[in-house]
Amino acid sequence: MASSWAGRPPSRRQTLAAALGGASLAVARPVLAAPATPSPSLNQLAKAKGLRFGSAIAAGASDARRMGGSIDNPDYVRVVAGECGLIVPENEMKMQTLRPGPEVFDFTRADRLMAFAAAYSLEVRGHNLLWHNNRWLPAWLNNYDFGSRPATTAERLLVTHIDTVCRHFGPRIRSWDVINETIDPDTGRMRETVLTRHLGDKVIDIAFHAARDALPDCQLVYNDYMEWEAGNERHRAGVLDLLERLRRDGVPVDALGLQSHLGGDSDLQGAPGAPQPAAWRSFLHGVTAMGHDLLVTELDMNDRTLPADPARRDAATATYVRDYLDLTLSFPQVRDVLCWGMLDRFSWLNGRAPRPDGLPRRPCPYDRENRPKPMREAIAAAMRAAPERAPSASGRRPVP
Ligand code: XIL
C-alpha cells in the first residue's frame, strides 16, 4: 500500500509531484518493498520533549556523487521522511552553490529542496550565509578585484549576498547559520580571508546585522566544530571569546550551532582526543550564560579508529553518541538535533581521511542496507531521557 510508505499520507506525495513538476515525479514514487522506519520516529520522540530531529539532505540532480543522500533517492527520502521534522541542505544554500559569480544567483537546487520540504511538511534550516573559511569560499571571491574602495566593495558584496538569499527564502527559514567556522582551531582567533583583509573582524558583525535586517524574526546562529574531545580547547576558548565580543558589540546572535562531528576531525590522521565532559559542560554553561540558545547541527561519528568488526564498531559509536547527547541535551537551550546524513553509504566522511584498514565508514544512524543501527537507538534513548523543554520556541528567535 502506498500509504504505508514512510508513514506519510499520499496527499503529500501528490503535492510533491505538483511542486517538483513532471520531470521529478520519480522522487515521489513509493518504494513498495521498502521497510518502514521505526515508530515512534526520532522526530516524534524529540517532539515529546520539545525538541526536533532532522538531517542534512542534498538536491541530487546535477551532482552525481552526492545523488545518494538526496531527494532523488527513494531510500534516502524514506528514511528522512520517516524520521525527521526538519532538513538542512548539505550544500545547496552555500555561497558556492547559490552565487556562481559576483552578479549571478542561482536558486534552482535550493528551491527543489524547499519544494520537497513543503511537500513533506518538513521545516528547513538555512546553512549557511557565509562559510568564513578560505577553503570553502567561492574562487571568484578569493580572486576578486576590490578596486579603489575595497572596504565598501567587500561590504556591498557580503550584504548583497545575505540580503538576497534571506529575502529569497523569506520566513520559510526560521533559523540560519549566518556564519560557519570563522575560528581557526589552531589559534583560537578569527580566520583571515579576503573579507577580513578589507573589513577586519567586523565581517562577522556586518553579516549578522544584514541577516537581522532582512529577517527580523529568524534565529541567527553562529555554527562551528569546537567539539568535546581533547584537542579542541583552543577552538572552544576562541568561540567563547568571539561570542563575548559580539555580545559586547551588540551583534544580533541568537544561538550557537554545535556541529557535533564526533570522534575527531575529518582530516585527522591519528587517533582523536578523549572526550572532556567537564570542559564541555562548562563551555555550554559559558555560552548559555550569555543568553544564547544551542543547536546540534551536524551530528555524525568519525569511526576512523574504532574496531573493524561492524557490531563492535556500531556499539562503540552508539555508546559515544549517547554519552554526548545525554550531556548536551541536559541543557534545555538545545531544541534541535540534526544529523549530517542518515545513511552510512552517503556520508560526507566517505570522502575524507579513510580508515587505516580501508573499510567503509559507519558514521550515521542507518547502515549500508538502510537498516537502523544502534546509533539510531542511542539517539532515540537520549531523546527519551532528555528533560522536557518549552516546545514553542523551537527554531525561532527567542522572544526578548
Ligand atoms: C560538507 C558536505 O557534506 C560536503 O558534501 C562538501 O563537499 C563539504 O561540506 N561542516 C559543515 C558542512 O558546516 O557544511 C560540511 O558539509 C561538513 C562540515
Side-chain angles (χ1 to χ4, degrees):
M1 260 303 283
S3 62
S4 69
W5 182 66
R8 298 280 175 176
S11 60
R12 294 221 172 116
R13 287 196 299 278
Q14 284 153 7
T15 323
L16 175 67
L20 295 183
S24 302
L25 273 176
V27 177
R29 296 255 157 79
V31 178
L32 297 179
T37 46
S39 177
S41 71
L42 290 175
N43 192 53
Q44 282 166 339
L45 292 169
K47 238 169 136 178
K49 296 300 173 69
L51 286 149
R52 298 188 301 181
F53 178 79
S55 173
I57 189 166
S62 73
D63 182 355
R65 194 174 67 83
R66 305 303 308 170
M67 180 71 89
S70 82
I71 61 172
D72 294 332
N73 180 334
D75 287 338
Y76 202 78
V77 170
R78 180 179 60 80
V79 173
V80 167
E83 294 280 34
C84 297
L86 78 163
I87 56 169
V88 58
E90 187 168 2
N91 293 301
E92 287 72 5
M93 290 186 188
K94 294 171 181 171
M95 194 189 282
Q96 271 184 342
T97 314
L98 287 186
R99 201 174 179 184
E103 311 302 335
V104 197
F105 284 87
D106 180 357
F107 290 102
T108 320
R109 289 164 60 70
D111 285 345
R112 285 195 75 221
L113 275 179
M114 294 303 288
F116 168 84
Y120 280 86
S121 303
L122 297 163
E123 294 213 40
V124 183
R125 291 207 66 242
H127 175 79
N128 49 54
L129 293 171
L130 179 63
W131 195 347
H132 194 241
N133 181 335
N134 284 312
R135 182 171 172 186
W136 303 108
L137 287 175
W140 65 258
L141 184 57
N142 281 329
N143 301 319
Y144 199 71
D145 176 4
F146 287 85
S148 58
R149 300 178 63 206
T152 310
T153 307
E155 180 163 353
R156 183 180 50 77
L157 271 174
L158 179 60
V159 172
T160 299
H161 183 77
I162 291 177
D163 196 62
T164 306
V165 173
C166 285
R167 288 182 202 278
H168 177 84
F169 300 106
R172 287 177 298 169
I173 293 190
R174 298 194 300 159
S175 174
W176 262 109
D177 292 335
V178 178
I179 298 286
N180 201 32
E181 301 180 359
T182 199
I183 296 299
D184 183 334
D186 296 329
T187 62
R189 303 176 61 85
M190 282 233 342
R191 294 179 199 268
E192 287 171 25
T193 65
V194 71
L195 294 172
T196 55
R197 194 180 311 146
H198 302 303
L199 297 169
D201 292 0
K202 294 286 175 214
V203 64
I204 308 302
D205 311 33
I206 293 167
F208 276 100
H209 282 297
R212 180 63 95 230
D213 287 350
L215 292 174
D217 296 327
C218 186
Q219 180 190 53
L220 304 184
V221 180
Y222 174 69
N223 190 48
D224 209 335
Y225 60 94
M226 58 295 119
E227 307 300 353
W228 75 334
E229 286 98 0
N232 285 276
E233 294 81 354
R234 207 166 269 171
H235 200 172
R236 289 193 295 257
V239 168
L240 270 185
D241 286 349
L242 173 72
L243 292 176
E244 264 159 21
R245 204 277 287 161
L246 294 174
R247 194 173 63 128
R248 268 199 315 275
D249 290 349
V251 177
V253 179
D254 299 314
L256 174 66
L258 314 166
Q259 289 192 3
S260 311
H261 293 294
L262 305 180
D265 193 283
S266 60
D267 291 328
L268 193 79
Q269 298 301 323
Q276 298 180 315
W280 185 241
R281 192 186 296 278
S282 96
F283 172 70
L284 298 182
H285 271 303
V287 176
T288 53
M290 291 183 224
H292 292 325
D293 273 332
L294 300 167
L295 306 85
V296 173
T297 50
E298 305 183 14
L299 177 67
D300 61 12
M301 179 73 186
N302 186 344
D303 60 348
R304 219 183 139 267
T305 56
L306 294 181
D309 174 65
R312 285 182 60 214
R313 195 168 359 145
D314 287 353
T317 292
T319 306
Y320 199 93
V321 167
R322 175 76 202 269
D323 289 349
Y324 175 77
L325 286 180
D326 279 351
L327 198 171
T328 305
L329 295 182
S330 72
F331 285 79
Q333 292 87 349
V334 181
R335 294 199 183 83
D336 289 326
V337 175
L338 294 99
C339 283
W340 205 247
M342 292 301 287
L343 267 52
D344 284 344
R345 253 188 306 160
F346 308 123
S347 167
W348 74 300
L349 287 168
N350 293 314
R352 314 290 291 199
R355 283 177 59 88
D357 56 17
L359 287 174
R361 316 296 295 258
R362 303 179 69 84
C364 301
Y366 278 68
D367 71 11
R368 305 184 83 77
E369 284 75 44
N370 316 318
R371 293 172 308 208
K373 289 162 53 188
M375 178 175 167
R376 193 257 173 214
E377 253 331 288
I379 299 171
M383 295 295 187
R384 287 195 172 95
E388 269 185 53
R389 52 215 76 205
S392 59
S394 197
R396 272 237 175 92
R397 183 151 83 96
V399 179

